[in-house]
Amino acid sequence: QVQLVESGGGLVQAGGSLRFSCVASGLTFRTYDMGWFRQAPGKEREFVAAISSSGGRIPYADSVKGRFTISRDNAKNTVYLQMNSLKPEDTAVYYCAAKSRIADWYSSRNYDYWGQGTQVTVSS
């Protein structure tokens, strides 16, 4: 049984930082590309960042480029998302996801497994 378990969400003031962790189990983590998505109330789920299985490719959404950093530790089956300079518009539920197929990073349809989501609220 595959599980992706996120942690690290919470309430933070604008300009602050948070760090997410997502621990995977039940899959061969080193063979999966990993992504972070987010969904704000009333909006569709949107791509935030991804990292290839080897860590060699790291695409970001334009809205977070320069502020967020994704990384992974294959020895710990964990992917991270460091979020700096947070803005109120970053408020959303954040999800980690795992993708095995060779397909574009940006569509949630291409991901095989999902975490339960963790809430981030950024106050102004």
Side-chain angles (χ1 to χ4, degrees):
Q1 180 184 358
V2 175
Q3 283 191 307
L4 302 179
V5 180
E6 301 112 336
S7 60
L11 173 65
V12 64
Q13 288 188 331
S17 298
L18 283 173
R19 188 189 193 214
F20 288 147
S21 298
C22 173
V23 180
S25 60
L27 52 74
T28 306
F29 182 76
R30 67 179 186 277
T31 67
Y32 280 77
D33 300 331
M34 299 298 295
W36 288 95
F37 287 74
R38 66 186 181 187
Q39 188 165 18
K43 294 188 176 181
E44 293 188 354
R45 192 169 296 189
E46 66 173 2
F47 172 80
V48 174
I51 185 167
S52 63
S53 56
S54 65
R57 293 186 63 194
I58 304 178
Y60 291 97
D62 288 344
S63 58
V64 307
K65 205 172 291 183
R67 300 189 297 122
F68 291 11
T69 303
I70 188 172
S71 60
R72 66 189 294 160
D73 185 338
N74 285 347
K76 295 182 178 179
N77 285 7
T78 303
V79 61
Y80 305 96
L81 186 67
Q82 177 68 43
M83 304 186 295
N84 298 329
S85 302
L86 282 160
K87 304 175 182 180
E89 51 263 45
D90 295 318
T91 295
V93 177
Y94 284 72
Y95 299 88
C96 75
K99 174 172 74 70
S100 63
R101 71 198 75 179
I102 300 174
D104 79 78
W105 309 94
Y106 309 101
S107 172
S108 61
R109 294 189 301 270
N110 293 331
Y111 288 77
D112 304 295
Y113 303 107
W114 291 84
Q116 80 284 358
T118 185
Q119 175 72 47
V120 170
T121 302
V122 183
S123 62
S124 57

